[in-house]
Amino acid sequence: VVYANPICSQLDQLILRSVSFEDVLKLQVSHRGVFFVQNLVTSLQLLAALRDTHTKRENLELVKDERFDLLLRDLVKFAQHLDFRAIATVATSLMVLEFRYHALFRKLFPPAMKAEIPDVATAVQLSDALTRAGYLNSILYDRIASFINASEAEVSELVAAAKVYGTLERFHGEFFDGLTRRLVNEVGSMSGSDLATVVFALSNHGDLRTQEPLMNAIAEVVGGEPSRFSTYDIVTCLHGFRRLRLCYEPAIVSGMQACEPQLQYTWTSRLPGVVSASRLAML
């Protein structure tokens, strides 16, 4: 964080010395009149970071606390002043706390459409938090897709973005076209888990369009190097191919042979395994 005011920095340091929900919440009352917007963001971020140090009951009590509600209402009031990184932090913190405060989420979209996007990781972080909060259709995703396509994103960042865009209501063809161009020559060095994630994302909409070269490349890896994949990942790939009505016989044969012991156990025992019996039946 770059602080424009030393007092804001000092207040952040005060907040960060808190070791419990109660410490943070007390400051929301005692210092409310002097907190900057960044201090509100830091408070929410720290509450999310402290979540695992508290019991389930304490986490439930937090979201009912009037001081927590006061913090969120202040963030709603000043959301228009948040930069992109702060917006991502707020959205992610709310999801860590498992609290879908839609009054605040809705206020994040307008500034996110205007603020400068700092990097791909932050863009994906925000997209992921918003989709998990249930926002699956927004022009913000078009803006983020354009930014990612124009960037020098790492393979891991592109895979993370694909996972998010595969869950949206609308198929973002421009994003997946860019994904195909960037990843088609990287398939040989990608993990089985990452390849399965890409297949799932592409197949989730049942619309292949111009992404077939990427699917062909992934199918070749499944057929030639099934050992790179876990049982779950192979089933994910084969299921994705099926949903898109693509028949890659070498991938089917090699994939099923590699998974045979686990699949046979799951199918005959009907006990919980790496993949469910119902998912196997869809193959």
Side-chain angles (χ1 to χ4, degrees):
V1 178
V2 177
Y3 295 96
N5 189 305
I7 298 177
C8 179
S9 175
Q10 292 169 11
L11 289 170
D12 257 9
Q13 294 306 310
L14 174 64
I15 295 166
L16 292 171
R17 286 198 289 270
S18 301
V19 296
S20 69
F21 287 161
E22 184 63 24
D23 291 344
V24 179
L25 295 175
K26 283 181 178 179
L27 291 174
Q28 304 314 303
V29 176
S30 63
H31 288 67
R32 190 187 184 205
V34 295
F35 270 176
F36 292 80
V37 179
Q38 177 56 47
N39 302 138
L40 301 176
V41 174
T42 300
S43 296
L44 182 61
Q45 184 179 24
L46 183 56
L47 288 172
L50 290 170
R51 179 180 183 273
D52 290 340
T53 68
H54 291 71
T55 65
K56 184 176 180 179
R57 180 178 179 179
E58 287 171 331
N59 278 281
L60 291 173
E61 291 174 347
L62 168 66
V63 299
K64 297 177 182 179
D65 195 296
E66 291 184 357
R67 295 166 298 177
F68 180 64
D69 183 66
L70 181 65
L71 168 61
L72 297 185
R73 285 190 282 113
D74 282 346
L75 281 166
V76 168
K77 181 178 179 180
F78 297 108
Q80 61 183 317
H81 301 296
L82 299 175
D83 63 19
F84 199 94
R85 197 179 299 279
I87 293 168
T89 297
V90 168
T92 302
S93 298
L94 286 173
M95 293 316 301
V96 169
L97 292 168
E98 298 180 355
F99 191 63
R100 291 173 173 81
Y101 192 76
H102 292 291
L104 178 52
F105 271 114
R106 288 192 295 268
K107 285 289 187 178
L108 299 179
F109 284 91
M113 285 297 299
K114 299 176 182 179
E116 180 180 355
I117 302 176
D119 50 59
V120 173
T122 305
V124 174
Q125 176 189 345
L126 175 58
S127 299
D128 178 60
L130 292 176
T131 55
R132 289 190 290 120
Y135 296 92
L136 304 180
N137 189 6
S138 170
I139 58 173
L140 174 60
Y141 298 117
D142 294 314
R143 182 183 186 224
I144 291 175
S146 296
F147 176 82
I148 293 173
N149 284 343
S151 70
E152 296 295 329
E154 299 290 335
V155 169
S156 60
E157 294 173 330
L158 292 173
V159 172
K163 185 176 182 179
V164 170
Y165 277 79
T167 66
L168 300 180
E169 290 181 356
R170 178 166 56 86
F171 183 79
H172 288 255
E174 179 185 352
F175 168 77
F176 284 108
D177 285 348
L179 186 78
T180 295
R181 291 191 298 270
R182 300 284 289 278
L183 293 185
V184 70
N185 295 320
E186 302 287 344
V187 166
S189 61
M190 292 172 63
S191 69
S193 176
D194 284 350
L195 293 175
T197 296
V198 172
V199 171
F200 174 81
L202 283 169
S203 65
N204 215 27
H205 291 277
D207 188 350
L208 191 57
R209 299 193 183 185
T210 60
Q211 290 81 47
E212 193 166 356
L214 180 54
M215 296 294 273
N216 291 341
I218 295 174
E220 288 184 11
V221 178
V222 176
E225 301 178 72
S227 61
R228 284 172 57 180
F229 299 80
S230 68
T231 299
Y232 184 86
D233 291 333
I234 289 178
V235 172
T236 297
C237 288
L238 297 183
H239 186 229
F241 299 154
R242 176 184 175 276
R243 292 183 69 185
L244 291 169
R245 296 178 176 83
L246 297 172
C247 182
Y248 296 118
E249 187 171 346
I252 295 172
V253 173
S254 296
M256 294 299 286
Q257 287 177 344
C259 297
E260 184 176 357
Q262 178 64 48
L263 300 186
Q264 186 174 16
Y265 170 79
T266 301
W267 185 251
T268 56
S269 69
R270 297 298 196 272
L271 294 174
V274 177
V275 290
S276 65
S278 61
R279 189 169 176 81
L280 290 180
M282 289 190 288
L283 292 176

